[in-house]
Amino acid sequence: MEPKPGLFFLLCVGAGLTAFAVWGRAAFPALAAASARAADGNSAWRSFWIGLVNAVTAFLLFALFAKIGEAIAPLRILALGVAVVVALVLFRGILGLWPSFGHRILAAEGASSDLHATLAGGALLTGFLVFFPVGTLFFLYVLIRTLGVGVLQWVESRNRNVKEVTPA
C-alpha cells in the first residue's frame, strides 16, 4: 500500500513548523519569552477568539487586495503584504504556544528544557495531522490560537513600550 501524498505534505508542514519554532526560540530568546508570557497569561479561548477575528479579517483583506490586483497589477503587492504580516504574527505565536503543549506532555517527567518542550509539542501537533479530520481540525484550532497569541504578544509589547516612554 502506497502512502498518500497529502499525508506526506501534512507531516512536512508539521515538521517544518516545529523546526521553525526551534530555530526561532534559539535565534530570538527575548521574543520567545514574551510570546510564552502571552500564551500563559491569557486563556485558550481568549487567544482563539482573537485569532479567529484576525484570521477572518486577514482573509477578507487578502481576498479584496487580490481581486483589486487583478485589475491593477501593481496592487497585488498589498495581498502579499497581508500574507507576510499574518506569517510574522503566526511566527510570534508559534514561539510561545508550541512549547506550552510540550511542557504539558513532559510535566510528569519533571523539569524539561524549552528545546525538549518545543520538540515534544511539535511532535504532538504533527501527529495530530495524521488523524483526519479530527486531528486536522485540532491543528487548525491551534493555528488560529497561535495567531491570537501572536496578536496578544504584539499588543502587550506595544503597551509595555508606551508605559516606558510615558513620564509618570
Side-chain angles (χ1 to χ4, degrees):
M1 179 178 249
E2 203 172 302
K4 304 269 185 204
L7 177 63
F8 181 71
F9 173 75
L10 291 176
L11 291 176
C12 286
V13 165
L17 287 174
T18 301
F20 197 53
V22 169
W23 170 79
R25 290 189 68 78
F28 307 105
L31 182 62
S35 295
R37 278 193 307 273
D40 295 338
N42 294 291
S43 73
W45 286 108
R46 180 174 187 217
S47 59
F48 172 76
W49 287 113
I50 289 173
L52 185 62
V53 167
N54 283 282
V56 169
T57 304
F59 175 77
L60 292 175
L61 284 173
F62 179 82
L64 175 70
F65 292 146
K67 194 67 170 168
I68 291 172
E70 289 177 5
I72 307 169
L75 291 182
R76 287 184 187 168
I77 195 79
L78 294 175
L80 179 64
V82 169
V84 167
V85 167
V86 168
L88 289 173
V89 173
L90 275 172
F91 173 68
R92 286 175 171 243
I94 283 173
L95 292 181
L97 201 57
W98 251 238
S100 69
F101 286 103
H103 283 297
R104 289 181 189 150
I105 294 171
L106 301 173
E109 197 176 279
S112 62
S113 71
D114 282 340
L115 174 63
H116 289 128
T118 304
L119 290 173
L124 174 74
L125 294 170
T126 301
F128 273 125
L129 286 171
V130 175
F131 299 107
F132 185 81
V134 175
T136 308
L137 289 174
F138 180 75
F139 191 81
L140 181 61
Y141 158 78
V142 170
L143 280 181
I144 290 171
R145 190 170 162 218
T146 299
L147 184 63
V149 167
V151 168
L152 288 168
Q153 189 272 331
W154 181 74
V155 168
E156 288 173 6
S157 69
R158 298 274 299 168
N159 288 342
R160 188 172 298 119
N161 290 340
V162 168
K163 288 178 185 176
E164 289 174 3
V165 172
T166 307

